[in-house]
């Protein structure tokens, strides 16, 4: 049975320069009330390696490290019906997206949006981009950190994420 799930509030400070978007939290994340809470999801491990924090630190410390690095975190979808945690189980006719025009108006320093996987990029392109008022943004799709995406090794994922985050960090200088 599908249930309507609702995403979390964004993690962001007004000076953020990078926005990382997932599709919508999976079951483990919803249960924990934390982004990327599945024990096999490599998001926090990758970010810890890239910006220099302990991926096993308490959630609040990991969130603080993202903010300090100028990275915001959110999901494309505000809510949808889905059974289980797979993006492929999202009921397309139930999709409600987050208000990106309002978010980007409040976070005017964001110059790059990185998508954590294909589903987030596709949902954004289909449901958000046609009405997005903010044009000075660079978009980059990255390999998903989900345990369901095993096509690339951890090292390959880190390299792709390093390129995206590194370029965005260079823009701050």
């Amino acid at each position: 049975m599908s249930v309507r799930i609702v995403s979390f509030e964004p993690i962001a400070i007004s000076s953020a320069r990078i926005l990382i978007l997932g599709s919508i939290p999976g079951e483990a994340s919803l249960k924990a009330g934390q982004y990327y809470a599945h024990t096999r999801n490599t998001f926090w491990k990758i970010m810890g390696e890239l910006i220099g924090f302990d991926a096993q630190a308490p959630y609040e410390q990991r969130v603080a490290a993202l903010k300090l690095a100028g990275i915001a975190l959110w999901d494309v979808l505000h809510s949808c019906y889905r059974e289980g945690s797979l993006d492929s189980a999202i009921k397309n006719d139930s999709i409600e997206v987050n208000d990106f025009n309002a978010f980007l108006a409040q976070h005017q320093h964001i110059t790059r949006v990185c998508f954590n996987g294909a589903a987030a990029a596709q949902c954004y392109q289909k449901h958000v981009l046609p009405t997005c008022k903010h044009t000075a943004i660079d978009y980059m799709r990255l390999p998903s950190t989900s345990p369901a995406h095993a096509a690339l090794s951890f090292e390959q994922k880190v390299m792709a994420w390093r390129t995206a985050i590194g370029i965005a960090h260079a823009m701050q200088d």
Side-chain angles (χ1 to χ4, degrees), residues 14-15 61 65 67 75 97-98 109 123 137 153-154:
S14 62
S15 61
Q61 289 178 18
K67 290 179 179 180
D75 287 308
V97 296
N98 279 311
H109 299 288
C123 282
I137 295 176
S153 70
F154 176 75

Side-chain angles (χ1 to χ4, degrees), residues 13-65:
I13 56 174
S14 62
S15 61
R17 296 187 178 275
I18 306 165
L19 172 60
I20 297 174
L21 293 173
S23 54
I24 196 158
E27 290 179 322
S29 293
L30 291 167
K31 185 176 180 180
Q34 300 177 356
Y35 282 97
Y36 303 106
H38 192 289
T39 56
R40 291 192 349 246
N41 191 301
T42 58
F43 176 81
W44 292 110
K45 187 175 178 183
I46 289 171
M47 296 310 296
E49 186 163 319
L50 297 182
I51 61 177
F53 64 84
D54 179 1
Q56 300 302 316
Y59 183 71
E60 296 76 20
Q61 289 178 18
R62 291 179 276 151
V63 166

Side-chain angles (χ1 to χ4, degrees), residues 10-153:
I11 292 173
I13 56 174
S14 62
S15 61
R17 296 187 178 275
I18 306 165
L19 172 60
I20 297 174
L21 293 173
S23 54
I24 196 158
E27 290 179 322
S29 293
L30 291 167
K31 185 176 180 180
Q34 300 177 356
Y35 282 97
Y36 303 106
H38 192 289
T39 56
R40 291 192 349 246
N41 191 301
T42 58
F43 176 81
W44 292 110
K45 187 175 178 183
I46 289 171
M47 296 310 296
E49 186 163 319
L50 297 182
I51 61 177
F53 64 84
D54 179 1
Q56 300 302 316
Y59 183 71
E60 296 76 20
Q61 289 178 18
R62 291 179 276 151
V63 166
L66 284 184
K67 290 179 179 180
L68 187 62
I71 298 172
L73 189 58
W74 206 15
D75 287 308
V76 175
L77 303 183
H78 169 70
S79 68
C80 66
Y81 281 97
R82 179 189 67 203
E83 184 176 344
S85 290
L86 296 177
D87 288 334
S88 60
I90 293 171
K91 308 292 185 206
N92 288 327
D93 61 349
S94 72
I95 288 175
E96 291 181 26
V97 296
N98 279 311
D99 186 349
F100 286 93
N101 283 319
F103 180 84
L104 293 169
Q106 294 172 356
H107 300 86
Q108 296 180 8
H109 299 288
I110 290 177
T111 56
R112 170 162 289 173
V113 173
C114 297
F115 299 103
N116 188 348
Q122 290 165 353
C123 282
Y124 189 93
Q125 185 172 9
K126 181 177 180 180
H127 299 285
V128 178
L129 205 52
T131 60
C132 188
K133 298 174 184 172
H134 306 273
T135 57
I137 295 176
D138 178 35
Y139 296 101
M140 182 173 264
R141 186 180 113 190
L142 296 169
S144 174
T145 60
S146 166
H149 181 71
L152 298 177
S153 70

